Amino acid sequence: MLVCVHTLSGNDIRGLLLTDLDLSSERLTIRRPGKRHIICLDELTYRCVSALLRERHRRRPVTTNPHLLINRWTAVDTTHSPIGTTFTAIFSRTAMRYITAAHPERTAKLAR
């Protein structure tokens, strides 16, 4: 949902921290160099993120990794690395196909 609806990049998603999510205010803060972007969560995204947090806690209750998205390796990584680029690249490419189909004017290539 974050990639398709909110057009977040793989780097945006990889960099998300648990502290960036405020479920009580239904907001997610995207930190980018020199600025912050606030996303107001729609009902579907809110439900998906809530389910993600429940599953994260169920599967990895003692992880200290501060990132929102983790996997079995990064959950125990003492350097607190985010998920790998392969994971986010798959979803970003798919999302860009949807965005291109829905909004070709936003993704048109510049004339050479």
Side-chain angles (χ1 to χ4, degrees):
M1 290 304 304
L2 293 172
V3 176
C4 295
V5 174
H6 301 289
T7 63
L8 298 184
S9 71
N11 285 337
D12 289 337
I13 293 171
R14 288 181 73 237
L16 289 174
L17 301 175
L18 286 170
T19 56
D20 295 333
L21 180 62
D22 183 354
L23 284 179
S24 63
S25 297
E26 300 179 1
R27 292 181 176 200
L28 179 66
T29 301
I30 309 302
R31 291 171 289 104
R32 293 179 175 147
K35 63 182 174 179
R36 294 179 186 266
H37 176 67
I38 305 293
I39 292 175
C40 295
L41 301 177
D42 57 273
E43 183 180 344
L44 180 58
T45 305
Y46 179 89
R47 286 186 300 171
C48 289
V49 172
S50 294
L52 170 91
L53 290 178
R54 285 191 302 276
E55 183 65 10
R56 173 192 165 106
H57 181 71
R58 184 186 73 77
R59 296 181 78 176
R60 310 212 189 323
V62 296
T63 184
T64 59
N65 191 318
H67 291 89
L68 183 61
L69 298 178
I70 59 174
N71 59 33
R72 64 181 178 187
W73 297 285
T74 62
V76 296
D77 185 356
T78 58
T79 62
H80 302 302
S81 63
I83 57 173
T85 56
T86 303
F87 176 81
T88 55
I90 291 168
F91 290 106
S92 294
R93 279 192 298 267
T94 302
M96 290 310 295
R97 288 186 190 121
Y98 283 108
I99 292 166
T100 300
H103 302 285
E105 74 282 0
R106 292 186 184 180
T107 57
K109 297 192 188 233
L110 296 173
R112 293 184 182 187

